[in-house]
Amino acid sequence: MKRLILILLTMMCCTSCTALPAEERAFAVVLLVDRDSSAWRVHGQLPTYRSGGGYLTVTGEGDTLPAALADLEAAAPMHVNLSQLRLLVLTKAVADVGELALVLTTLSDRPDMRPSCAIALTEAPADVLMQALEPATGTRLSKSIDVLLESRLEQGSILPATLAEVLRMGMRQSPVLIAANLRDQQLDLSGGYPLTASFRVCERLTPEETALLSLLTGRTKALRLTLSGMSAQVREASAKVALSQDFQSATVTLRLRVTAASCSPADIETRLADASVTLLSGLSAQGCDVLGLGRQAILHAHDMPAWRSFDWPARCKQLHWRVSVQMSGPT
């Protein structure tokens, strides 16, 4: 009997030490990280948990990112949890001072961080963007962001960029962060910001360039493609990328079916090939390996030390691109 009482007391003590129950935590939906020359600032969008819905923006500030996150926690009405985070937004100011890698690794080290949250970069003022995130009463912000991300991915106007994917790519492939914009005072996710292996942000891609890139990566199978006055409805697209044995050139073979277009098939093939070469050449010249040729380079080098010895990021900038387009329809 005494042993049973001891076990029950032990269980009660252990239970009291566990994490807070769900109703005592605020699950952030959006987290925005900003900084200037003097301080870090983080803004979190939290549900108010009141009848009728609603969201609250909480802000923290500090000399370091951990200090700003701690200040955010102190300003929140309850413990802030990031396990339901849908969108992590970084300002261009964070990128300009070379702190992107620091932000991503710091947040990924948190035990409550959601690895599948999407990562976006914005040039909009932090406070203005946070105001635009507030949905109508009764609307779930998490659901609206999920729907927006899904539709943009299907359209090809953004590429997948989650925290887990970006950190996993390393030097084998350059991620493309989602561009977060304001359109008619509403959040818009379209276009992207390619990163180099050192997490330097390159020139922003338009939604049309991102759609083309989504075809070249082989991710998107069907979309409405618009290029320099040409539009085409693309179906059944596939792409194959090959790196030459001497690491000096790369070839992309793009196969697709077009069901409707504003010009002839021959014109589409020529324009699509030319636009692809221009896009890929410009990206690789900036040190962006958006098609993940680093993976093939590792295989060609046979081992990791040999691959590192010839400096793939530098070789990537010298690549000569060839794009072959094989198209069927329309007649």
Side-chain angles (χ1 to χ4, degrees), residues 20-27 77-80:
L20 292 171
E23 63 270 15
E24 295 182 18
R25 286 177 284 180
F27 292 94
M78 59 186 77
H79 176 70
V80 177

Tab-separated table of all heavy atoms in Angstrom, residues 20-27 77-80:
chain	number	residue	atom	x	y	z
A	20	LEU	N	3.126	23.222	-20.440
A	20	LEU	CA	1.809	23.821	-20.227
A	20	LEU	C	0.767	23.172	-21.125
A	20	LEU	O	1.065	22.780	-22.253
A	20	LEU	CB	1.873	25.319	-20.544
A	20	LEU	CG	2.708	26.204	-19.617
A	20	LEU	CD1	2.817	27.591	-20.216
A	20	LEU	CD2	2.087	26.278	-18.227
A	21	PRO	N	-0.452	23.029	-20.639
A	21	PRO	CA	-1.513	22.537	-21.520
A	21	PRO	C	-1.766	23.510	-22.646
A	21	PRO	O	-1.406	24.691	-22.564
A	21	PRO	CB	-2.722	22.428	-20.578
A	21	PRO	CG	-2.417	23.356	-19.451
A	21	PRO	CD	-0.923	23.320	-19.279
A	22	ALA	N	-2.408	23.017	-23.712
A	22	ALA	CA	-2.586	23.826	-24.923
A	22	ALA	C	-3.300	25.139	-24.654
A	22	ALA	O	-2.976	26.167	-25.245
A	22	ALA	CB	-3.353	23.018	-25.972
A	23	GLU	N	-4.284	25.124	-23.744
A	23	GLU	CA	-5.052	26.340	-23.508
A	23	GLU	C	-4.251	27.415	-22.776
A	23	GLU	O	-4.712	28.536	-22.616
A	23	GLU	CB	-6.338	26.013	-22.732
A	23	GLU	CG	-6.112	25.448	-21.336
A	23	GLU	CD	-6.005	23.926	-21.354
A	23	GLU	OE1	-5.831	23.366	-22.459
A	23	GLU	OE2	-6.096	23.313	-20.282
A	24	GLU	N	-3.050	27.078	-22.320
A	24	GLU	CA	-2.216	28.061	-21.643
A	24	GLU	C	-1.042	28.505	-22.501
A	24	GLU	O	-0.083	29.087	-22.014
A	24	GLU	CB	-1.715	27.496	-20.305
A	24	GLU	CG	-2.842	27.244	-19.310
A	24	GLU	CD	-2.328	26.742	-17.973
A	24	GLU	OE1	-1.119	26.911	-17.714
A	24	GLU	OE2	-3.120	26.181	-17.205
A	25	ARG	N	-1.119	28.220	-23.798
A	25	ARG	CA	-0.070	28.637	-24.733
A	25	ARG	C	-0.679	29.409	-25.888
A	25	ARG	O	-1.803	29.133	-26.302
A	25	ARG	CB	0.677	27.405	-25.260
A	25	ARG	CG	1.630	26.770	-24.265
A	25	ARG	CD	2.275	25.538	-24.821
A	25	ARG	NE	1.347	24.400	-24.814
A	25	ARG	CZ	1.665	23.190	-25.260
A	25	ARG	NH1	2.856	22.970	-25.789
A	25	ARG	NH2	0.784	22.211	-25.224
A	26	ALA	N	0.082	30.358	-26.407
A	26	ALA	CA	-0.336	31.108	-27.597
A	26	ALA	C	0.459	30.570	-28.781
A	26	ALA	O	1.691	30.702	-28.819
A	26	ALA	CB	-0.085	32.598	-27.407
A	27	PHE	N	-0.235	29.978	-29.727
A	27	PHE	CA	0.432	29.375	-30.885
A	27	PHE	C	0.582	30.434	-31.980
A	27	PHE	O	-0.397	30.781	-32.646
A	27	PHE	CB	-0.359	28.172	-31.387
A	27	PHE	CG	-0.357	27.015	-30.424
A	27	PHE	CD1	-1.382	26.859	-29.499
A	27	PHE	CD2	0.679	26.097	-30.434
A	27	PHE	CE1	-1.384	25.804	-28.607
A	27	PHE	CE2	0.692	25.034	-29.541
A	27	PHE	CZ	-0.336	24.887	-28.618
A	77	PRO	N	0.560	37.634	-23.780
A	77	PRO	CA	-0.328	37.352	-22.648
A	77	PRO	C	-0.133	35.961	-22.054
A	77	PRO	O	-0.577	35.696	-20.946
A	77	PRO	CB	-1.724	37.505	-23.251
A	77	PRO	CG	-1.535	37.252	-24.704
A	77	PRO	CD	-0.182	37.781	-25.031
A	78	MET	N	0.506	35.067	-22.797
A	78	MET	CA	0.792	33.721	-22.298
A	78	MET	C	2.013	33.181	-23.033
A	78	MET	O	2.545	33.825	-23.937
A	78	MET	CB	-0.421	32.802	-22.496
A	78	MET	CG	-0.871	32.648	-23.927
A	78	MET	SD	-2.407	31.688	-24.100
A	78	MET	CE	-3.622	32.913	-23.590
A	79	HIS	N	2.463	32.005	-22.647
A	79	HIS	CA	3.652	31.405	-23.241
A	79	HIS	C	3.483	31.253	-24.759
A	79	HIS	O	2.482	30.726	-25.234
A	79	HIS	CB	3.908	30.035	-22.619
A	79	HIS	CG	5.051	29.291	-23.233
A	79	HIS	ND1	6.359	29.670	-23.081
A	79	HIS	CD2	5.068	28.188	-24.015
A	79	HIS	CE1	7.139	28.828	-23.735
A	79	HIS	NE2	6.380	27.920	-24.315
A	80	VAL	N	4.473	31.742	-25.533
A	80	VAL	CA	4.419	31.679	-26.993
A	80	VAL	C	5.035	30.370	-27.480
A	80	VAL	O	6.142	30.011	-27.088
A	80	VAL	CB	5.152	32.875	-27.626
A	80	VAL	CG1	5.158	32.752	-29.158
A	80	VAL	CG2	4.506	34.184	-27.203
